[in-house]
Amino acid sequence: MADLKILITGASSKTAEALIKLFKYETGHKLILLSSRINKLKQYEGYDYHRVNSLSFKDIKTLCYDMKPDIIINTAGFTDVDKCEDDRKTAWDLNVTLVEYLASISRVIDSHLITFSSDYVFDGNRGPYIEEDRPNPINFYGKTKHAMENACLSNLNKITVVRTNSIYGYSSTGKVDFIRWVLYKLEQGYGVNIVTSQYCNPTYVEDIAVAVNKIITKKRTGVYHIGGTDWLNRYDIALKTARVFGYDETLIKPVAVAELNQTAKRPVKGGLVTLKAETDLGIKLTSLESGLMALRHQLRDNKFSFVVK
Ligand SMILES: NC(=O)c1ccc[n+]([C@@H]2O[C@H](COP(=O)([O-])OP(=O)(O)OC[C@H]3O[C@@H](n4cnc5c(N)ncnc54)[C@H](OP(=O)(O)O)[C@@H]3O)[C@@H](O)[C@H]2O)c1
């Protein structure tokens, strides 16, 4: 495939870093990165970097019209599920309005828009879910993602929505995810209370990059589910993490969801069936154990640089 011009929004995200790494080492695509933050991804080099906040819609529009990327990958998102309940305006602006903007920009400049959604569009009564299952979000984050999907999928543009869940993996900027949070606590010798409900299939971030690359080369549109091969509850995920990293499992205490006082309600049986992605994109997804072992290897020489979002 000819080299493409790919613009990535929210470039400091965990997902963007995996994409940047893959495109740099496996393709000749030209990258244009948009981020609100100073550039902490200097080790990858060879891209254009623009300090643009994803909420500055007009600046994004001007840049897109100037650069005319073949592909726009939107990784920006208000991903803190509890904060979404309290700051609904920012959550809506980032998770819905931005994507509506990008969809209309991509139609004008004829680019392929790839954007991310979540298993939280489902209510969690009977997951894991297939692409055709009916969304019924139970928290505001899920509602924003559902609204975004509707805006994208009612549009006849070249748009792909990648639903994923519980992303984990290496982040040189020290982004926190559930597994990194568990590791940080165990490393410090702190006890952690983890719910025995809330099932998902944690997604190794590099699998997302591989899937997106296939979506681009195969020019696929519509909805794709990406997740890991193991469907587990949060407590079992934490135990597996402790085992792979050699931390004290007894620090992990099982608790009922009511004991956590989470602001947002979470789906109980969430997670995503990935058969469509495996067969149609021809990808192999990573087991939690393999993903954790890869992460352990990547972190071996790096101290945790814990950054609170
Ligand atoms: N993390 C998960 O477990 C998970 C699960 C399902 C779906 N998803 C979806 O997958 C996508 C990527 O997730 P991720 O975890 O890789 O993202 P992430 O690491 O949380 O980063 C999201 C990026 O969005 C931008 N952003 C966040 N809050 C902002 C705000 N208030 N104003 C302006 N920009 C803001 C920031 O980009 P810059 O500062 O670089 O501009 C930030 O780095 C998102 O759409 C997310 O909803 C994630």
Side-chain angles (χ1 to χ4, degrees):
M1 166 172 255
D3 293 345
L4 300 168
K5 215 191 276 181
I6 300 181
L7 182 141
I8 302 179
T9 53
S12 74
S13 71
K14 296 181 281 296
T15 302
E17 184 168 356
L19 287 162
I20 294 162
K21 219 183 332 174
L22 182 142
F23 290 138
K24 176 175 168 57
Y25 297 117
E26 314 249 336
T27 75
H29 301 325
K30 176 178 166 37
L31 296 185
I32 305 154
L33 309 182
L34 272 49
S35 174
S36 65
R37 304 180 194 211
I38 55 159
N39 187 0
K40 290 192 177 168
L41 300 164
K42 293 202 170 120
Q43 70 273 33
Y44 301 116
E45 300 170 330
Y47 49 73
D48 283 351
Y49 194 92
H50 300 266
R51 282 288 292 281
V52 182
N53 189 303
S54 290
L55 294 170
S56 305
F57 303 141
K58 284 195 179 138
D59 294 339
I60 290 178
K61 190 165 156 184
T62 307
L63 259 165
C64 288
Y65 285 175
D66 283 352
M67 307 272 184
K68 295 194 176 46
D70 303 293
I71 313 281
I72 298 175
I73 306 177
N74 173 41
T75 74
F78 200 110
T79 54
D80 187 316
V81 176
D82 289 321
K83 282 194 190 147
C84 277
E85 298 294 324
D86 300 328
D87 188 358
R88 293 182 173 218
K89 179 171 177 352
T90 312
W92 190 271
D93 285 349
L94 200 56
N95 291 353
V96 187
T97 314
L98 167 67
V99 188
E100 288 173 336
Y101 248 85
L102 293 174
S104 72
I105 292 167
S106 68
R107 182 171 39 218
V108 174
I109 61 172
D110 192 31
S111 41
H112 178 179
L113 172 64
I114 301 171
T115 191
F116 295 91
S117 186
S118 163
D119 65 331
Y120 278 24
V121 296
F122 300 113
D123 55 22
N125 289 335
R126 56 175 192 87
Y129 293 93
I130 61 169
E131 282 81 354
E132 291 74 24
D133 278 325
R134 194 166 164 270
N136 182 32
I138 57 171
N139 57 39
F140 195 72
Y141 173 77
K143 286 181 182 161
T144 63
K145 290 294 184 183
H146 186 207
M148 175 277 281
E149 288 188 1
N150 285 338
C152 285
L153 300 170
S154 59
N155 203 309
L156 293 175
N157 280 6
K158 295 184 283 186
I159 301 184
T160 315
V161 172
V162 176
R163 289 194 191 125
T164 184
N165 73 129
S166 197
I167 298 172
Y168 70 98
Y170 183 72
S171 154
S172 65
T173 55
K175 281 292 190 97
V176 185
D177 55 49
F178 174 70
I179 283 169
R180 291 292 295 267
W181 174 79
V182 169
L183 284 173
Y184 174 75
K185 293 285 184 183
L186 299 180
E187 191 192 40
Q188 306 295 314
Y190 296 142
V192 281
N193 295 334
I194 312 275
V195 283
T196 48
S197 57
Q198 296 179 3
Y199 283 74
C200 62
N201 46 329
T203 311
Y204 184 52
V205 71
E206 295 188 12
D207 285 353
I208 300 178
V210 170
V212 167
N213 194 35
K214 288 280 189 185
I215 284 167
I216 292 169
T217 48
K218 290 180 170 238
K219 298 187 168 57
R220 291 295 194 263
T221 57
V223 182
Y224 283 85
H225 283 183
I226 303 296
T229 59
D230 300 287
W231 190 70
L232 298 166
N233 66 53
R234 294 269 168 186
Y235 176 68
D236 287 333
I237 295 167
L239 282 184
K240 210 175 223 329
T241 303
R243 270 179 220 137
V244 169
F245 279 79
Y247 289 128
D248 180 1
E249 289 172 38
T250 63
L251 290 170
I252 304 168
K253 302 272 179 282
V255 293
V257 76
E259 292 176 63
L260 284 190
N261 282 326
Q262 289 173 317
T263 311
K265 220 173 144 190
R266 265 69 167 178
V268 173
K269 287 185 180 163
L272 301 165
V273 175
T274 55
L275 197 59
K276 178 181 172 189
E278 288 169 72
T279 51
D280 184 41
L281 302 178
I283 56 170
K284 199 169 174 333
L285 294 156
T286 303
S287 69
L288 182 58
E289 182 150 343
S290 299
L292 288 171
M293 282 164 65
L295 179 62
R296 191 182 65 180
H297 181 72
Q298 288 165 321
L299 291 173
R300 193 180 293 153
D301 300 323
N302 292 287
K303 273 262 141 251
F304 287 106
S305 49
F306 198 77
V307 176
V308 179
K309 278 192 280 185

